[in-house]
Amino acid sequence: MCYYLDGTVNLYMRPIEAITVTVDLEAMKIIHFQDRLVVPVPKAAGTDYRESKQNPPFGPELKGITVVQPDGPSFTIDGSRVRWANWDFHLTFDARVGPIVSLASIYDTEKQEFRRVMYRGFVSELFVPYMDLTEEWYYRTFFDAGEYGYGLCAVPLEPLRDCPANAVYMGAFVAAQNGMPIEMPNVFCIFERNAGDVMWRHTETMIPPDLITEVRPDMSLVVRMVSTVGNYDYINDWEFKQIGSIKVTVGLTGLLEVRGSKYTHKDQIDEEVYGTLLAENTLGAYHDHFITYHLDLDVDGESNSFVKSKLETVKVTDQTSPRKSYWKVVSETAKTESDAKIKLGPDSAELLVVNPNKRTNMGNFVGYRLIPGSVASPLMTNDDYPQIRAAFTEYNVWVTPYNKSEKWAGGVYTDQSRGDDTLATWTSRNRRIENKDIVLWYTLGFHHVPYQEDFPLMPTISTGFELRPANFFEYNPVLKVKGPNNVRWPNCSVSSSGLN
Amino acid sequence: MCYYLDGTVNLYMRPIEAITVTVDLEAMKIIHFQDRLVVPVPKAAGTDYRESKQNPPFGPELKGITVVQPDGPSFTIDGSRVRWANWDFHLTFDARVGPIVSLASIYDTEKQEFRRVMYRGFVSELFVPYMDLTEEWYYRTFFDAGEYGYGLCAVPLEPLRDCPANAVYMGAFVAAQNGMPIEMPNVFCIFERNAGDVMWRHTETMIPPDLITEVRPDMSLVVRMVSTVGNYDYINDWEFKQIGSIKVTVGLTGLLEVRGSKYTHKDQIDEEVYGTLLAENTLGAYHDHFITYHLDLDVDGESNSFVKSKLETVKVTDQTSPRKSYWKVVSETAKTESDAKIKLGPDSAELLVVNPNKRTNMGNFVGYRLIPGSVASPLMTNDDYPQIRAAFTEYNVWVTPYNKSEKWAGGVYTDQSRGDDTLATWTSRNRRIENKDIVLWYTLGFHHVPYQEDFPLMPTISTGFELRPANFFEYNPVLKVKGPNNVRWPNCSVSSSGLN
């Protein structure tokens, strides 16, 4: 694929369409060249995103703002082990998938011990298919982890911009092609977030003359990595909350893949162009992002079960109540892998991983709940070759018995995959998953219809999911978290200075 | 309904079940008393949520953290008019619904003018039905705005806990029963949020030896009100983003409604109890929360249309491409109200309000997009009396032509409603909505299955939606936002002090 760099650093906005060059990377030789048709190259004007290249008028400037922790951070990092509030986990870097969170345990104040939540969690694969049939586009169905290395594409985080002032940075090492270690600086940042939200509160007005108000601000610990896979920048957050939740967020920003085109106005278009006209000669191609997480939960121990609690309408027909209906909870424990394949949709259900060997004092099985964010399912047909390779996106949820060879949802050798080594093929054995060491696989997604605001660089759009305790604790685990020592507005001598 | 206060302020955890007292509030007389059956009252122990009533062990304490704006806030408030970054809007208080955001416009740096986005937006109604058929519970199907006053139930926000250190507070006045004004202090707080997120970024590695990194941190302006309707605390945020988005979030916390019960262990239960056993003699009742927003968008002018852009799979059968499928966008403009009734589900669609009279230079209609968060639909049957009254929850999305009498989705006199004055009845006229001043109604919801973590007080759970520009601007409206003047870690003399 060829791009024209003149007049901009935003090469992705200047595709030289319909030229294909095939290179033998072993021999470093061009072995095929094709110039199929002539398409205008989009202009450079308006594509550069660097501040130094912008002309006035500029947007309104905001006054400085920062976060202050006068006594330092509340977390400690000891090698790869991170401890913060009630959490204790390991954070390591993997060239294929980036951050791996492992051995995540939470301190139970009641039981006075750490209890395991997750053995290991990471992004297993990403699938980014473009919806364009033309010769230079039909094959653009990327697997960002297996083909490029989601960790290898990690970029150095920019202090004070990618992460706030109170962030701590960590580097990583990867092996070069010659086997020598290469340091990647600042691939992770870790910081405490104080976003101004409320962890819990209540005001009681029913006991006059008292007015009881009890509020706990929300604090969390964020682990961030940014992976820039060519044009796209993925912002990956693992966020640990005192209430026991692990919240995973992925933000998409960076540059679209655009197609060069003869069109300069929508009214000229009378054919399928597979995208939105974003600027003159520039079509933002329709595409999807699916991100599949490997979540090896060990809820209070290794042996877990997957429970789907469906909310079902019950009709009342016997005149015992003035009501004609209500809903009840019908829980089903998945016996085998096929029971746990779920396409999320309008059906109302709670999805839980429980430990069937441990119960609360009340007799409820201890568990964690998956709360999905934005849900998307593939719109390509199942017999389409890229979709066969990405069959792991067919369901939003899968559960497998732990198997150390089943880490990569798209197969070990994704580049060469024909779809015979994916999560979909593994689960076709329909193994037993009840009361076993199980892995929860969750796929989130976006269908991306570009809009002009995405040109020449996209504002971040985010989604994610939450793993939240569900009868894991005997009662609210943050009831006994004291209110913070409020740091009052400090009297500061501040150095305000621009970076540029 | 009776509660026992002894030993706790958490009266909601000590229901005296099955006693019903009917009071004539005009005469201030008890006109009916019933003690239907004897049910154990749950214990007081473990229910109080005040810090002063907790015994050790306490959860881990975190070091102080705060936000600093050495040069002050970047917003101005002039009466009810708020200006921040590229936004200009009015904020007023309404006893029925709380915050009303009106005349929200955004500055277009390219066009050098403010452009209208929303004429008026507010919570129109809330519906909270409990799923319990027993005599003292079947009727608990609350309409929090129409029956209680979502604004009247606003509570004074606690500085440094409900809102961060950089927040500014506003009060409001309501009319007392005798017509005299009553001041409600601190009902709103307004603050700039710097949560450590990224507004946009890109790192370019493809132009060696340069490594280009350009990052803009995300800043937003939050308007918050907390409404405590009896047991539940709703945290309402309207958040304005520089990228042009209005993000609405509602967080649920406070106290559950629980039912007294003879049960002290799950294994004893062999009947339908309509809830989760949370503690001894304490059942957390299953229920729903539906929150319906009235969003009178005026996208770049009054006359707007509602467009549903469906993403449809196209099968490729003619061998023109190695691909067998792709998806395309099929846009339909709603002509009448019935075209715009939408139950959100697995169908992939983009929902837009566009101005059919204004186009970008590229010819796209200027628009805003509704991005839903957590979606829930009613599980009660349509012929159930409470659901007839709450028929406005039947669809997640409705669009009506503006009518000044159609503000309250559950009718003007909700208390007395029999379902003949709701959004559902208004739209049965099937009025024309194309290229008119239209109102978008959006209902978000939770089905709440309580877990033990929700006892005796629930950690906040949040959802919301986003209104995001979609071909409203010619290009990314924050491309020309300069990087912030980074406030470097300040040298502060800080007073750390606890509040208690």
Side-chain angles (χ1 to χ4, degrees):
Chain A
M1 298 189 275
C2 295
Y3 297 95
Y4 192 46
L5 255 180
D6 189 48
T8 185
V9 295
N10 195 343
L11 59 114
Y12 289 99
M13 293 306 118
R14 305 203 75 190
I16 306 170
E17 213 48 57
I19 289 183
T20 307
V21 186
T22 311
V23 181
D24 182 332
L25 288 173
E26 296 283 348
M28 287 304 281
K29 279 189 178 159
I30 291 173
I31 55 174
H32 183 73
F33 176 88
Q34 178 177 280
D35 188 353
R36 199 170 58 87
L37 49 93
V38 175
V39 178
V41 174
K43 286 185 298 189
T47 65
D48 209 314
Y49 46 83
R50 288 172 296 177
E51 185 170 334
S52 58
K53 298 296 174 187
Q54 307 306 318
N55 297 318
F58 290 99
E61 280 185 64
L62 299 177
K63 291 173 183 166
I65 187 167
T66 194
V67 62
V68 178
Q69 292 185 286
D71 303 318
S74 297
F75 59 86
T76 61
I77 303 175
D78 179 10
S80 63
R81 186 173 185 177
V82 181
R83 273 173 275 200
W84 174 79
N86 41 3
W87 282 101
D88 183 338
F89 63 92
H90 287 236
L91 172 65
T92 50
F93 178 85
D94 182 88
R96 180 156 177 155
V97 301
I100 296 182
V101 172
S102 57
L103 302 175
S105 300
I106 189 162
Y107 190 73
D108 186 325
T109 311
E110 177 80 5
K111 294 193 162 63
Q112 296 276 298
E113 62 180 28
F114 277 93
R115 296 167 67 196
R116 181 64 42 83
V117 175
M118 188 168 72
Y119 174 66
R120 195 157 49 193
F122 54 86
V123 170
S124 176
E125 190 52 271
L126 302 93
F127 178 50
V128 188
Y130 284 75
M131 297 298 141
D132 185 328
L133 300 184
T134 53
E135 190 169 335
E136 296 78 17
W137 279 81
Y138 77 87
Y139 60 83
R140 298 194 195 187
T141 54
F142 304 110
F143 293 77
D144 285 339
E147 291 177 346
Y148 293 90
Y150 201 53
L152 279 179
C153 293
V155 295
L157 295 167
E158 187 152 310
L160 302 175
R161 295 200 171 184
D162 274 318
C163 311
N166 60 334
V168 166
Y169 296 82
M170 286 170 73
F173 287 88
V174 290
Q177 283 180 316
N178 63 4
M180 294 298 288
I182 296 179
E183 186 170 8
M184 297 176 67
N186 287 17
V187 289
F188 294 144
C189 74
I190 301 175
F191 61 93
E192 288 170 270
R193 167 148 38 209
N194 173 28
D197 289 324
V198 172
M199 184 162 75
W200 61 259
R201 81 172 318 287
H202 183 61
T203 298
E204 189 52 69
T205 58
M206 303 285 268
I207 318 174
D210 294 336
L211 181 74
I212 297 163
T213 301
E214 197 79 27
V215 188
R216 296 292 177 280
D218 193 37
M219 302 286 172
S220 60
L221 186 76
V222 179
V223 173
R224 177 169 294 167
M225 183 194 83
V226 172
S227 183
T228 302
V229 188
N231 50 314
Y232 259 103
D233 297 57
Y234 295 92
I235 302 162
N236 302 273
D237 285 357
W238 287 81
E239 186 173 4
F240 295 83
K241 289 179 164 276
Q242 290 175 278
I243 62 167
S245 287
I246 301 176
K247 205 173 157 190
V248 177
T249 307
V250 58
L252 273 66
T253 174
L255 314 170
L256 287 172
E257 280 210 10
V258 304
R259 192 154 76 95
S261 160
K262 64 184 175 189
Y263 300 114
T264 55
H265 193 279
K266 194 185 177 187
D267 291 349
Q268 299 160 354
I269 303 174
D270 58 357
E271 57 171 344
E272 179 64 80
V273 292
Y274 311 111
T276 307
L277 191 65
L278 299 176
E280 288 184 14
N281 309 118
T282 308
L283 288 162
Y286 299 147
H287 61 284
D288 300 319
H289 296 267
F290 296 104
I291 304 176
T292 300
Y293 289 85
H294 172 111
L295 302 165
D296 184 352
L297 300 186
D298 278 3
V299 176
D300 215 11
E302 264 190 19
S303 292
N304 286 180
S305 293
F306 178 72
V307 174
K308 184 175 175 181
S309 290
K310 291 188 285 186
L311 312 191
E312 290 185 355
T313 299
V314 182
K315 291 187 185 175
V316 182
T317 51
D318 62 1
Q319 314 286 322
T320 53
S321 168
R323 282 276 283 275
K324 293 189 175 174
S325 64
Y326 68 102
W327 55 257
K328 65 175 180 181
V329 179
V330 179
S331 293
E332 289 170 5
T333 300
K335 308 281 183 203
T336 64
E337 290 174 297
S338 65
D339 296 337
K341 294 178 185 178
I342 296 173
K343 290 190 194 201
L344 293 170
D347 283 352
S348 298
E350 310 261 307
L351 305 177
L352 298 129
V353 174
V354 303
N355 187 324
N357 313 298
K358 297 214 175 142
R359 300 170 80 175
T360 63
N361 293 340
M362 289 302 104
N364 297 307
F365 292 114
V366 305
Y368 257 73
R369 183 156 79 96
L370 170 70
I371 305 179
S374 130
V375 171
S377 290
L379 291 167
M380 290 161 69
T381 56
N382 284 346
D383 64 346
D384 208 350
Y385 190 57
Q387 189 59 48
I388 292 169
R389 288 158 45 95
F392 56 89
T393 61
E394 206 174 316
Y395 294 92
N396 302 103
V397 174
W398 315 64
V399 177
T400 58
Y402 175 78
N403 178 330
K404 72 175 177 180
S405 71
E406 296 178 2
K407 281 184 179 174
W408 324 117
V412 179
Y413 302 107
T414 315
D415 255 330
Q416 296 162 42
S417 166
R418 295 171 187 273
D420 42 14
D421 177 25
T422 75
L423 179 52
T425 52
W426 311 334
T427 57
S428 65
R429 281 175 282 169
N430 202 19
R431 293 163 291 186
R432 300 198 70 79
I433 53 171
E434 190 179 7
N435 201 6
K436 289 198 180 301
D437 185 7
I438 54 176
V439 177
L440 176 68
W441 304 78
Y442 177 66
T443 297
L444 59 81
F446 299 90
H447 298 294
H448 195 162
V449 177
Y451 293 98
Q452 286 187 235
E453 284 79 5
D454 295 334
F455 178 89
L457 186 144
M458 298 176 289
T460 305
I461 191 155
S462 298
T463 190
F465 62 91
E466 184 177 346
L467 297 166
R468 190 175 174 107
N471 298 329
F472 185 84
F473 294 102
E474 292 291 340
Y475 58 90
N476 181 334
V478 287
L479 178 70
K480 291 185 173 191
V481 168
K482 291 186 179 179
N485 280 325
N486 291 296
V487 180
R488 288 175 190 285
W489 195 269
N491 181 18
C492 301
S493 69
V494 176
S495 66
S496 270
S497 63
L499 275 185
N500 296 296
Chain B
M1 297 190 277
C2 295
Y3 297 95
Y4 192 47
L5 255 180
D6 189 47
T8 186
V9 294
N10 195 343
L11 60 114
Y12 290 99
M13 294 305 118
R14 304 203 76 190
I16 306 170
E17 214 47 57
I19 290 182
T20 307
V21 185
T22 311
V23 182
D24 181 332
L25 288 173
E26 296 284 347
M28 286 306 278
K29 278 188 180 161
I30 291 172
I31 55 172
H32 183 73
F33 176 87
Q34 177 176 282
D35 188 352
R36 198 170 59 87
L37 50 93
V38 175
V39 178
V41 173
K43 288 184 297 191
T47 65
D48 209 313
Y49 45 82
R50 289 172 296 177
E51 184 170 335
S52 58
K53 298 296 176 187
Q54 306 306 318
N55 297 317
F58 289 99
E61 281 186 63
L62 300 177
K63 290 173 183 166
I65 187 167
T66 194
V67 62
V68 178
Q69 293 185 286
D71 302 318
S74 297
F75 59 86
T76 61
I77 303 176
D78 179 11
S80 62
R81 185 173 185 177
V82 182
R83 273 173 272 201
W84 174 78
N86 40 3
W87 283 100
D88 184 338
F89 62 93
H90 287 236
L91 172 66
T92 50
F93 178 85
D94 181 88
R96 181 158 177 153
V97 301
I100 296 181
V101 171
S102 57
L103 302 177
S105 299
I106 189 163
Y107 189 73
D108 186 324
T109 311
E110 176 81 4
K111 294 194 161 62
Q112 297 276 299
E113 62 181 27
F114 276 93
R115 296 167 66 197
R116 180 63 45 83
V117 175
M118 188 167 71
Y119 174 65
R120 193 155 52 189
F122 55 85
V123 171
S124 176
E125 191 51 272
L126 301 93
F127 179 50
V128 187
Y130 284 76
M131 298 298 140
D132 187 328
L133 299 184
T134 53
E135 191 170 333
E136 296 78 17
W137 279 83
Y138 78 85
Y139 60 83
R140 298 194 194 186
T141 54
F142 304 110
F143 293 77
D144 285 340
E147 292 178 346
Y148 293 90
Y150 201 54
L152 280 180
C153 293
V155 295
L157 295 167
E158 186 151 311
L160 302 176
R161 295 198 171 186
D162 274 318
C163 311
N166 59 333
V168 166
Y169 296 82
M170 286 171 73
F173 287 87
V174 290
Q177 283 179 316
N178 63 5
M180 293 298 289
I182 297 179
E183 185 169 8
M184 297 177 68
N186 286 18
V187 291
F188 294 144
C189 74
I190 301 175
F191 62 93
E192 288 170 270
R193 170 154 27 217
N194 173 28
D197 289 323
V198 172
M199 184 162 76
W200 61 258
R201 82 175 314 288
H202 184 62
T203 298
E204 188 53 68
T205 59
M206 302 285 269
I207 317 174
D210 295 336
L211 181 73
I212 297 163
T213 301
E214 197 81 25
V215 188
R216 296 292 178 279
D218 192 37
M219 301 287 174
S220 61
L221 186 77
V222 178
V223 173
R224 178 169 295 167
M225 182 194 81
V226 173
S227 183
T228 301
V229 188
N231 52 313
Y232 259 102
D233 296 57
Y234 295 92
I235 302 162
N236 302 275
D237 285 355
W238 286 82
E239 187 172 3
F240 296 83
K241 290 179 163 277
Q242 289 175 279
I243 62 168
S245 286
I246 301 176
K247 204 173 156 188
V248 177
T249 306
V250 59
L252 272 67
T253 174
L255 313 170
L256 287 172
E257 280 210 11
V258 305
R259 191 154 76 95
S261 159
K262 64 185 176 189
Y263 299 114
T264 56
H265 193 279
K266 195 186 177 187
D267 291 349
Q268 300 160 353
I269 303 174
D270 58 356
E271 57 171 343
E272 178 64 82
V273 293
Y274 311 112
T276 306
L277 191 65
L278 299 176
E280 288 185 13
N281 309 119
T282 309
L283 288 163
Y286 299 148
H287 62 282
D288 299 319
H289 295 266
F290 296 103
I291 304 175
T292 299
Y293 289 85
H294 172 111
L295 303 165
D296 184 352
L297 300 186
D298 278 2
V299 176
D300 215 11
E302 266 191 19
S303 292
N304 286 181
S305 294
F306 178 71
V307 174
K308 184 175 176 181
S309 290
K310 292 189 284 186
L311 312 191
E312 290 186 355
T313 299
V314 182
K315 292 187 184 176
V316 181
T317 50
D318 62 359
Q319 314 286 325
T320 51
S321 168
R323 282 276 282 276
K324 294 189 175 175
S325 63
Y326 67 102
W327 54 258
K328 66 175 180 181
V329 179
V330 179
S331 294
E332 288 169 6
T333 301
K335 308 281 184 204
T336 64
E337 291 174 297
S338 65
D339 297 338
K341 294 178 184 178
I342 295 173
K343 290 190 193 201
L344 293 170
D347 283 352
S348 300
E350 311 260 307
L351 306 176
L352 300 128
V353 173
V354 304
N355 187 324
N357 313 298
K358 297 217 175 141
R359 301 170 80 176
T360 62
N361 292 340
M362 289 303 105
N364 297 306
F365 292 113
V366 305
Y368 257 72
R369 184 156 79 95
L370 171 70
I371 304 179
S374 131
V375 171
S377 290
L379 291 167
M380 290 161 70
T381 57
N382 284 346
D383 64 346
D384 208 350
Y385 189 57
Q387 189 59 48
I388 291 168
R389 287 157 46 92
F392 56 88
T393 62
E394 207 175 315
Y395 295 93
N396 302 102
V397 174
W398 316 64
V399 177
T400 58
Y402 175 78
N403 178 329
K404 73 174 175 180
S405 70
E406 296 177 2
K407 280 184 179 174
W408 324 117
V412 179
Y413 302 108
T414 315
D415 255 330
Q416 296 162 42
S417 166
R418 296 172 186 274
D420 42 13
D421 178 26
T422 76
L423 179 52
T425 52
W426 310 334
T427 57
S428 65
R429 282 176 282 170
N430 203 17
R431 293 162 292 186
R432 299 199 70 81
I433 54 171
E434 191 180 5
N435 202 5
K436 289 198 180 301
D437 185 7
I438 55 176
V439 177
L440 176 68
W441 305 77
Y442 177 65
T443 297
L444 60 82
F446 299 90
H447 299 294
H448 195 163
V449 176
Y451 293 98
Q452 286 188 234
E453 286 77 6
D454 295 334
F455 178 87
L457 186 144
M458 298 176 289
T460 305
I461 191 154
S462 298
T463 190
F465 62 90
E466 185 177 344
L467 297 167
R468 192 176 173 106
N471 297 329
F472 186 84
F473 294 102
E474 292 291 339
Y475 59 89
N476 181 335
V478 287
L479 178 70
K480 291 185 173 190
V481 168
K482 291 185 179 180
N485 280 326
N486 291 295
V487 180
R488 289 175 189 283
W489 195 269
N491 182 19
C492 302
S493 70
V494 176
S495 66
S496 268
S497 63
L499 275 186
N500 296 293

